[in-house]
Amino acid sequence: VDFHARVCSEQGKPYLYWPRPPHLEWSVCVASCPDTVDAVNSQQAPLPGTSPVTLLRSPDEVQISGIIWDDREPVYPTGLAFGRFCLAAPGTVLKVEARPGGG
């Protein structure tokens, strides 16, 4: 399932890809695993994002709201693993975000 809890095979996109590998919770379904050609040609994949969920309560109702969107992230070369996962190809250097405070 992807970030939005959708089953990939039910969307016609049977493979699971992580646009930012350190964030395993940000998975997306893709029709094919990005390869070196896709990376060289600056292809992009959706990157899920969310706003904080708010809860408004009154005597008569409860409202829950939040926003979900997809940004775009450049792809990196991957290969198919275990028949459904797009994992970084051997030798691929992945972008790693710096931690707050430099640690």
Side-chain angles (χ1 to χ4, degrees), residues 96-103:
V96 177
E97 299 170 358
R99 293 183 183 178

Side-chain angles (χ1 to χ4, degrees), residues 26-74:
W26 294 349
S27 58
V28 295
C29 299
V30 294
S32 62
C33 292
D35 59 17
T36 302
V37 173
D38 295 324
V40 168
N41 289 321
S42 302
Q43 296 296 312
Q44 296 184 336
L47 178 66
T50 61
S51 69
V53 173
T54 58
L55 175 67
L56 300 173
R57 203 178 286 181
S58 72
D60 300 326
E61 65 183 9
V62 173
Q63 293 180 3
I64 300 173
S65 65
I67 300 172
I68 299 173
W69 68 88
D70 283 336
D71 285 331
R72 307 299 290 172
E73 179 79 8

Side-chain angles (χ1 to χ4, degrees), residues 21-22 76-77 88 92-96:
Y76 55 89
T92 300
V93 177
L94 299 173
K95 177 173 61 173
V96 177

Side-chain angles (χ1 to χ4, degrees), residues 14 78 80:
T78 63
L80 185 61

Side-chain angles (χ1 to χ4, degrees), residues 1-6 8 15-20 23-29 46-48 70:
V1 295
D2 69 2
F3 176 81
H4 301 294
R6 298 176 294 206
C8 292
Y15 309 112
L16 200 58
Y17 172 73
W18 290 268
R20 288 197 184 153
H23 299 282
L24 297 180
E25 69 276 16
W26 294 349
S27 58
V28 295
C29 299
L47 178 66
D70 283 336

